[in-house]
Amino acid sequence: MLRFSIFLRDLRSIRKALLLAAVLFIAGIVAGASSEGFEQFLLGQLQGLGEISQQLGSSDHPEWNFFVFIFLNNSIKSVLVMFSGLLLGVIPFFFLVVNGMVIGFLVKVVGESGESLFDLIMKGLLPHGIIEIPVIVIACGYGLAFGGLVLRSIVATGERRSGIGAEWRGFWRKLGTASLWVVVLLLIAAMIESTITLWLMS
């Protein structure tokens, strides 16, 4: 159950949900970078993150406090969004779009301010984001797959209904394995973000 190879194998079984999750996230980035209708909402999200960053940065142990906040924030939200798929996948859907929009809007703001997009992407996003972003997409993919399973259970009839029980048992096993590895990978990403990314951006 705990082997990483099993986690990777399980991902193939939800590849359609993962593809949908990736498309939604990319669509969110495009919308955040181009749409003007959500600027106040997205600006509020960035300002909130900026205030938290300032508070953590001015603490006695900024690296440790950044690490704890980033890890707990990302891991708790990711696991919750996986299990929130029980509500027909609605929450993972919006979680992907909103997070994508925040990144797209951040890129837009930095570009318009004349600051270096290269520095933002290569120093501020890529070091930890190369792990964090795919893991969040995977977590949401599981949430979407969960929603799909719930929907199939509702509409299933006849022979299809008889096989739903086995599908549920298999999915719970996959969800447990995925939850563990999502937390482990986000722990690694938080370590990178609170050290390497913090150092590069300072």
Side-chain angles (χ1 to χ4, degrees):
M1 178 179 178
L2 303 181
R3 283 171 20 204
F4 189 67
S5 60
I6 296 176
F7 169 63
L8 294 178
R9 184 194 67 194
D10 289 342
L11 292 181
R12 293 195 292 271
S13 70
I14 63 161
R15 54 187 177 275
K16 291 181 180 179
L18 290 176
L19 178 60
L20 176 58
V23 169
L24 289 171
F25 187 71
I26 293 170
I29 293 175
V30 173
S34 58
S35 175
E36 298 182 356
F38 299 95
E39 282 196 355
Q40 290 302 315
F41 168 74
L42 296 172
L43 192 59
Q45 296 293 307
L46 290 180
Q47 288 175 340
L49 290 173
E51 291 172 2
I52 293 172
S53 180
Q54 287 182 347
Q55 292 174 4
L56 295 174
S58 60
S59 61
D60 293 334
H61 305 285
E63 292 86 359
W64 171 252
N65 290 329
F66 267 109
F67 165 73
V68 171
F69 172 78
I70 293 166
F71 171 62
L72 291 179
N73 181 65
N74 288 343
S75 59
I76 290 173
K77 284 182 178 179
S78 293
V79 172
L80 286 177
V81 86
M82 292 171 75
F83 285 88
S84 73
L86 182 65
L87 304 174
L88 299 179
V90 173
I91 293 177
F93 178 94
F94 285 104
F95 189 82
L96 283 163
V97 173
V98 170
N99 278 275
M101 289 178 70
V102 170
I103 293 178
F105 185 68
L106 175 62
V107 170
K108 175 184 176 181
V109 169
V110 170
E112 290 178 346
S113 68
E115 297 182 29
S116 173
L117 279 176
F118 179 84
D119 285 347
L120 171 67
I121 294 172
M122 299 302 295
K123 296 180 180 180
L125 292 176
L126 191 59
H128 64 277
I130 199 169
I131 298 175
E132 183 180 297
I133 291 175
V135 170
I136 289 174
V137 170
I138 288 170
C140 291
Y142 267 98
L144 294 173
F146 198 171
L149 179 56
V150 171
L151 185 60
R152 289 197 301 278
S153 300
I154 294 172
V155 302
T157 57
E159 293 183 2
R160 288 187 177 183
R161 178 170 289 277
S162 63
I164 287 291
E167 195 173 350
W168 271 101
R169 288 190 293 273
F171 187 78
W172 281 120
R173 197 274 305 162
K174 294 173 187 176
L175 197 61
T177 302
S179 298
L180 170 68
W181 282 108
V182 161
V183 171
V184 169
L185 291 170
L186 288 175
L187 174 67
I188 296 171
M191 292 171 63
I192 296 172
E193 187 171 358
S194 60
T195 54
I196 296 174
T197 302
L198 191 63
W199 174 71
L200 289 172
M201 292 303 291
S202 64

